[in-house]
Amino acid sequence: QVQLVESGGGLVQPGVSLRLVCEVSGRDISIYDMGWYRQAQGKQHELVARITNAGSTFYADFVKGRFTISRDIIANTVSLEMNNLKSEDTAVYYCNFHWLPTPWGQGTQVTVSS
């Protein structure tokens, strides 16, 4: 019943910014920690950023200073603003509940290439 739908990815050049949006249905995000994850081709999922139910944010070292996670409680969405994208950011990006075993959504592809 819980659905996670990511959008906003695309093919961009290095240095470009993108804003990813995760639409969540079936579960109120305001009382859970939410995270953005990414999976590069042939690699495992890695946590990119997390926002707690209290609004605190945490970032992986490789995106600190470039990415910002936020949430819209009314819209029940979680966003990831990605600035100064680099080729190594290329991956499929997913959102999910950080502490709950929730199936992955379809993700959104981010490809950074010149």
Side-chain angles (χ1 to χ4, degrees):
Q1 199 66 33
V2 178
Q3 294 186 23
L4 304 166
V5 181
E6 302 92 342
S7 63
L11 173 61
V12 298
Q13 295 185 342
V16 169
S17 297
L18 283 174
R19 186 176 181 88
L20 309 182
V21 178
C22 172
E23 298 176 273
V24 183
S25 61
R27 184 181 292 152
D28 188 354
I29 68 168
S30 67
I31 59 174
Y32 299 98
D33 287 16
M34 299 296 298
W36 277 97
Y37 305 77
R38 69 187 187 188
Q39 183 179 37
Q41 187 171 344
K43 307 195 71 175
Q44 65 182 23
H45 292 80
E46 62 181 353
L47 180 65
V48 174
R50 177 168 65 93
I51 184 166
T52 72
N53 63 325
S56 299
T57 58
F58 302 88
Y59 299 92
D61 184 68
F62 52 83
V63 302
K64 283 183 178 178
R66 297 191 298 122
F67 290 11
T68 302
I69 187 172
S70 62
R71 63 180 179 175
D72 186 328
I73 295 177
I74 296 176
N76 214 46
T77 61
V78 184
S79 297
L80 183 69
E81 183 178 351
M82 306 184 294
N83 298 314
N84 191 26
L85 283 162
K86 306 177 183 299
S87 60
E88 54 263 40
D89 295 319
T90 296
V92 179
Y93 284 72
Y94 304 85
C95 66
N96 214 324
F97 294 84
H98 186 65
W99 302 111
L100 299 178
T102 304
W104 300 102
Q106 84 287 350
T108 184
Q109 176 72 51
V110 173
T111 302
V112 186
S113 177
S114 60

